[in-house]
């Protein structure tokens, strides 16, 4: 295959992926004009439903513009010789292959973040603000971005350097060694993040003693989750969104509840949300998702090893020599559709796990209606889209569409009572 043919193929793949994404978003947008599903009329008013529709439409419009600008920027950078220009620039800064690689990929990543920044600002301080979802300040927003950049430099750069070194020095088995580097980092991050990284972005305080804490500890013991503490995160500093999750390993396991969840739900509903999270633990979902993620990572690195140093791929992007770090960037673009397919598989597994955790929770608390009630409140408070189009659900949703999830819980309750 010639470089020109490969370039045309990549262009077709990029446009096809873009059109598929836009079609899924458009089909969901059309569903927002349907009447509110009957299952939610006991908890969501017509005014609240209309607000959620307008919120979803505003996000859809911004997402469409973001996708167009992102694709256009990539194509213009490519066609105007941006990749060889960037290589010349980093070569002028350092002659060492490792520093060139880190600078090349780091500047591409920084460019994408700069491109995304105006859209993030509009999302946070215009759309979310207008619909009452934003509670963050400009100072917190800026602080979060700076902390993210610092983590990228202190953690991401050494890991990326290790992977580049594997591909530079270890020949045909480089992808396997690179996989071990990334996999080890992923496991280490899962262990240290609750203690060292998450506190950089949220404050965590112990849940005060009382009826709720005692009830949640008893529920955790009943589910076999050896919890060390229950913490409350200050999620309200940034958004009205509610959440709860389990974190840590071994003796460091903890339950984390967002303060927004405590403010919007009753005690029984909070117990049902925790029961759902405990279901993920008891059913082995956390381990399964981690293994699936590691497997996807290994497959992508193997595919990268097939093309990362191929001169035809480099020529397709306007470069005369196949620089290793540039090959990584080109493979990310070339294998975008593969990554989309892997995401579809991972999301399908995740949705299946959500259904299973819901069923587990209904059995643990012996009252599926309580979880249904909690979910409806979450959807109302989060202004969630209640009825995704199946294509959008398949492509992007790691949780089932709200309507499907409620119906599945009703079916579990009906089966339990039969």
């Amino acid at each position: 295959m010639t470089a020109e043919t490969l370039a045309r193929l990549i262009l077709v793949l990029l446009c096809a992926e873009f059109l598929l994404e836009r079609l899924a978003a458009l089909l969901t947008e059309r569903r927002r004009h349907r009447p509110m599903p009957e299952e939610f009329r006991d908890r969501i008013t017509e005014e609240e439903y209309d607000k959620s529709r307008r919120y979803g439409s505003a996000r859809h419009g911004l997402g469409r513009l973001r996708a167009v600008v992102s694709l256009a920027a990539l194509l213009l950078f490519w066609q105007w010789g941006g990749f060889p220009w960037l290589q010349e620039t980093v070569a002028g800064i350092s002659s060492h292959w490792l520093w060139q690689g880190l600078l090349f990929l780091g500047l591409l990543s920084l460019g994408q973040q700069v491109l995304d920044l105006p859209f993030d600002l509009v999302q946070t301080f215009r759309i979310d603000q207008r619909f009452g979802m934003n509670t963050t300040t400009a100072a917190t927003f800026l602080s979060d971005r700076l902390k993210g950049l610092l983590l990228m430099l202190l953690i991401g750069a050494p890991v990326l350097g290790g992977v580049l070194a594997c591909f530079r020095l270890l020949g045909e088995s480089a992808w396997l060694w690179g996989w071990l580097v990334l996999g080890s980092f992923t496991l280490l991050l899962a262990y240290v993040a609750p203690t060292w990284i998450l506190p950089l972005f949220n404050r965590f305080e112990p849940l005060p003693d009382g009826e709720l804490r005692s009830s949640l500890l008893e529920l955790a013991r009943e589910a076999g989750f050896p919890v060390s503490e229950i913490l409350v995160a200050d999620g309200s500093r940034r958004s009205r969104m509610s959440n709860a999750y389990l974190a840590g390993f071994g003796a460091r396991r903890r339950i984390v509840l967002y303060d927004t969840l405590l403010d919007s739900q009753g005690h029984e509903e909070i117990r049902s949300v925790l029961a759902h999270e405990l279901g993920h633990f008891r059913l082995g979902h956390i381990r399964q998702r981690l293994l699936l993620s590691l497997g996807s990572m290994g497959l992508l690195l193997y595919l990268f090893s097939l093309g990362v140093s191929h001169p035809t791929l480099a020529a397709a992007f306007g470069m005369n020599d196949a620089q290793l770090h540039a090959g990584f960037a080109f493979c990310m673009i070339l294998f975008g559709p593969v990554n989309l397919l892997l995401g579809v598989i991972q999301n399908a597994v995740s949705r299946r796990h959500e259904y299973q955790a819901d069923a587990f929770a209904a059995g643990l608390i012996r009252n599926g209606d309580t979880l249904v009630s909690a979910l409806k409140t979450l959807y109302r408070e989060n202004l969630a889209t209640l009825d995704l189009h199946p294509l959008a659900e398949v492509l992007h949703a790691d949780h089932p569409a709200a309507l499907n999830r409620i119906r599945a819980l009703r079916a579990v309750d009906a089966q339990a009572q039969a």
Side-chain angles (χ1 to χ4, degrees), residues 124-125 129 133-142 144 235-240:
T124 302
F125 294 107
Q129 191 79 29
M133 298 302 295
N134 175 51
T135 57
T136 194
T137 64
T140 300
F141 182 91
L142 178 61
D144 286 348
S236 59
R237 284 182 60 208
R238 292 173 177 81
S239 171
R240 284 181 51 198

Side-chain angles (χ1 to χ4, degrees), residues 94-102 161 164-166 168-169 324-325:
S94 174
S95 60
H96 195 279
W97 61 268
L98 181 57
W99 287 115
Q100 286 188 20
L102 292 177
L164 288 174
C166 290
R168 172 88 178 191
L169 304 173
L324 174 66
H325 48 265

Side-chain angles (χ1 to χ4, degrees), residues 55-253:
Y55 179 62
S57 294
R59 289 174 62 93
H60 168 258
L62 183 65
R64 179 178 56 203
L65 180 59
R66 184 197 293 257
V68 169
V69 170
S70 181
L71 179 60
L74 171 59
L75 295 181
L76 290 174
F77 188 78
W78 177 8
Q79 294 304 311
W80 289 350
F83 292 108
W85 168 81
L86 184 59
Q87 174 56 36
E88 291 177 7
T89 301
V90 300
I93 298 174
S94 174
S95 60
H96 195 279
W97 61 268
L98 181 57
W99 287 115
Q100 286 188 20
L102 292 177
L103 284 170
F104 187 93
L105 295 172
L107 287 172
L108 283 178
S109 176
L110 182 61
Q112 183 63 58
Q113 291 186 47
V114 170
L115 195 65
D116 285 337
L117 181 60
F119 297 99
D120 294 337
L121 287 168
V122 170
Q123 175 66 59
T124 302
F125 294 107
R126 184 173 179 179
I127 296 178
D128 287 355
Q129 191 79 29
R130 173 155 48 102
F131 288 92
M133 298 302 295
N134 175 51
T135 57
T136 194
T137 64
T140 300
F141 182 91
L142 178 61
S143 174
D144 286 348
R145 292 305 186 275
L146 293 177
K147 289 174 185 176
L149 286 174
L150 183 61
L151 289 173
M152 184 174 70
L153 288 173
L154 296 180
I155 300 177
V159 173
L160 176 60
V163 174
L164 288 174
C166 290
F167 275 80
R168 172 88 178 191
L169 304 173
L170 298 177
E172 293 184 358
S173 62
W175 71 271
L176 182 58
W177 289 103
W179 187 23
L180 291 175
V181 169
L182 276 180
S184 299
F185 167 71
T186 300
L187 294 173
L188 178 63
L189 188 63
Y191 183 78
V192 304
T195 303
W196 299 104
I197 296 179
L198 295 183
L200 295 175
F201 297 92
N202 287 105
R203 288 192 295 269
F204 296 86
E205 300 290 342
L207 180 67
D209 290 334
E211 180 183 350
L212 178 61
R213 185 176 186 277
S214 299
S215 176
L216 296 182
L217 287 174
E218 179 59 33
L219 189 67
R221 281 192 290 268
E222 188 176 347
F225 182 75
V227 60
S228 61
E229 54 186 344
I230 303 178
L231 301 177
V232 180
D234 60 339
S236 59
R237 284 182 60 208
R238 292 173 177 81
S239 171
R240 284 181 51 198
M241 299 286 185
S242 299
N243 196 13
Y245 60 90
L246 309 179
F249 294 91
R252 300 168 65 86
R253 288 193 175 100

